[in-house]
Amino acid sequence: MGAALLALAGCGGGGGSSQTASVSAAPSSVAATVPTTPTTTPTTTAPQPTTPTQTSTSPEQQPGGAGDETPISTQALFTGKGGDITPATVRVPPFIAVTVVLHSADGGSYAIEVAKHELKVGSGHPTATLQLSGLRAGKRYTLDVSGAPETLAIVANAEPGP
């Protein structure tokens, strides 16, 4: 009988009765029920919710992980040497940002203008760079060479492959 009362006490209360029963079991005695009166519990203030700190194990969300710092781009390298800038055309993949690099191989002064930006190089500053948006397939950037009638081009039609 003591085991049955313990089992009933473990099931929890749920009735609408205003009295609650407390069951205590002693090792060698029979359990007894004692009527009690309901008591009021003091109200406490609920703790304020805090914003949880997000932790991530994804390399993309870690500092320096999965290309966070450097957006994908391709390079269009133009080299000034002997008073001329080469190559005349650089082919790049479509839709990929283009980093235009002008380099003076002989220490001479060279300048080009592309997309309303000017790149200048010389003996004190042999390399200049500029980041441009990617192009649609078949489109081009035209580069004007300062002090020369020639133009250079960056064309978006490079095909992937070896």
Side-chain angles (χ1 to χ4, degrees):
M1 179 165 148
L5 285 175
L6 284 176
L8 287 175
C11 292
S17 170
S18 64
Q19 292 185 353
T20 58
S22 171
V23 177
S24 63
S28 61
S29 65
V30 176
T33 59
V34 179
T36 59
T37 59
T39 60
T40 59
T41 56
T43 56
T44 58
T45 345
Q48 296 295 325
T50 59
T51 306
T53 304
Q54 291 183 342
T55 57
S56 174
T57 57
S58 168
E60 179 65 33
Q61 296 180 7
Q62 298 297 321
D68 278 349
E69 288 74 29
T70 308
I72 189 168
S73 68
T74 189
Q75 182 176 341
L77 174 63
F78 295 94
T79 304
K81 184 176 180 182
D84 196 22
I85 299 176
T86 57
T89 303
V90 174
R91 299 184 190 290
V92 296
F95 306 108
I96 305 295
V98 179
T99 301
V100 180
V101 178
L102 177 61
H103 178 72
S104 175
D106 60 4
S109 294
Y110 299 93
I112 57 174
E113 184 178 329
V114 58
K116 299 182 182 179
H117 297 283
E118 187 172 41
L119 293 174
K120 292 182 180 182
V121 294
S123 60
H125 187 70
T127 304
T129 62
L130 170 67
Q131 181 90 18
L132 298 174
S133 300
L135 295 164
R136 288 184 166 184
K139 298 294 181 180
R140 69 177 47 225
Y141 284 117
T142 302
L143 294 82
D144 294 317
V145 179
S146 295
E150 67 181 304
T151 58
L152 308 173
I154 300 171
V155 181
N157 68 354
E159 295 295 324

